[in-house]
């Protein structure tokens, strides 16, 4: 059900952005709204509080975002509150942002390394991804995991490339175990 809600409202916001030729502007505003809700969990608690009437919730949203976001975004947020969909606000906005990335042919790459990567290495990875995928641009998200020992794990969508030392050791360990079972 939540996926259907996020798709329905996310598509509506996307269609509005395309119709108004405001895709980039609304995408930036959506990122700011998402960040505001993530950084202020009290706001979500307030919108979910059963004893606060809907009109007060709408007033709070308007007071916070009016003048800081476009009328389209404020109107969208008040619609979400009116329809009692504020629980799904984060997934709705995430769906919208994913749809914008898809429209603009922007991929999201999650790169995990054992040690911090230098800027030149990051750029080399980005260029390699641009040449080996259909995307024309990438949002790069870097993480560190010392348990990898070395190498990288790169995830783009549902595709994963694991060239970590940890993965190679695990693979070799399984091969050795199978060899020892075969000789027994």
């Amino acid at each position: 059900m939540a996926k259907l809600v996020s798709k329905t409202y996310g598509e509506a916001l996307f269609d509005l952005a395309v119709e108004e030729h405001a895709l980039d502007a609304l995408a930036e505003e959506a990122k700011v709204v998402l960040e505001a809700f993530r950084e202020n969990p009290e706001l979500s608690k307030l919108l979910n509080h059963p004893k606060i009437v809907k009109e007060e919730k709408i007033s709070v949203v308007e007071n916070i975002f009016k003048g800081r976001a476009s009328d389209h975004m404020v109107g969208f947020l008040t619609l979400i509150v009116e329809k009692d969909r504020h629980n799904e606000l984060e997934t709705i906005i995430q769906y919208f942002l994913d749809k914008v990335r898809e429209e603009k042919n922007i991929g999201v790459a999650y790169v995990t390394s054992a040690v911090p990567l230098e800027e030149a290495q990051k750029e080399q990875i980005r260029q390699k991804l641009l040449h080996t995928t259909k995307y024309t641009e990438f949002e790069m998200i870097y993480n560190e995991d010392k348990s990898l020992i070395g190498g990288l794990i790169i995830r783009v969508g549902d595709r994963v490339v694991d060239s970590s030392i940890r993965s190679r050791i695990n693979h070799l360990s399984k091969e050795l175990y199978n060899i020892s079972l075969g000789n027994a």
Side-chain angles (χ1 to χ4, degrees):
M1 179 73 169
K3 278 192 173 186
L4 181 61
V5 169
S6 61
K7 183 177 192 278
T8 302
Y9 286 93
E11 289 275 347
L13 183 58
F14 180 80
D15 291 344
L16 173 69
V18 169
E19 185 179 302
E20 295 294 323
H21 305 288
L23 199 60
D24 291 332
L26 279 174
E28 286 306 311
E29 287 181 9
K31 289 176 187 174
V32 171
V33 167
L34 194 58
E35 191 174 316
F37 275 90
R38 286 179 177 163
E39 289 180 357
N40 300 298
E42 306 84 29
L43 183 56
S44 292
K45 285 180 186 174
L46 183 129
L47 292 179
N48 289 318
H49 199 286
K51 292 190 178 178
I52 298 176
V53 294
K54 197 179 294 188
E55 290 76 22
E56 285 184 52
K57 294 176 183 180
I58 291 170
S59 177
V60 166
V61 168
E62 287 176 343
N63 286 337
I64 291 172
F65 293 104
K66 205 168 213 141
R68 294 183 181 101
S70 68
D71 290 343
H72 293 306
M73 183 56 74
V74 174
F76 180 75
L77 293 172
T78 56
L79 175 71
I80 296 294
V81 174
E82 282 175 16
K83 299 292 184 180
D84 290 322
R85 297 300 187 193
H86 38 80
N87 285 341
E88 289 94 9
L89 182 64
E90 204 169 310
T91 57
I92 291 168
I93 290 178
Q94 195 58 59
Y95 181 91
F96 167 72
L97 292 172
D98 291 344
K99 185 98 171 131
V100 170
R101 281 189 208 97
E102 181 183 313
E103 175 74 15
K104 297 176 131 251
N105 208 17
I106 299 171
V108 178
Y110 297 88
V111 179
T112 306
S113 60
V115 295
L117 298 173
E118 296 176 12
E119 289 305 315
Q121 292 171 312
K122 290 178 180 180
E123 182 58 24
Q124 188 178 16
I125 292 167
R126 193 179 78 75
Q127 288 300 323
K128 184 74 171 172
L129 288 171
L130 287 171
H131 290 11
T132 58
T133 64
K134 64 179 181 168
Y135 298 109
T136 57
E137 190 55 54
F138 269 97
E139 287 183 17
M140 306 294 288
I141 300 168
Y142 296 97
N143 295 304
E144 293 175 35
D145 181 355
K146 294 188 183 325
S147 73
L148 296 182
I149 304 169
L152 299 171
I153 297 175
I154 301 173
R155 182 172 62 87
V156 177
D158 60 354
R159 296 179 64 202
V160 177
V161 176
D162 186 346
S163 66
S164 67
I165 304 292
R166 179 183 66 192
S167 175
R168 290 179 187 173
I169 289 172
N170 288 340
H171 181 71
L172 285 172
S173 173
K174 287 178 186 176
E175 283 184 15
L176 289 172
Y177 180 75
N178 288 336
I179 290 172
S180 67
L181 283 179
N183 291 335

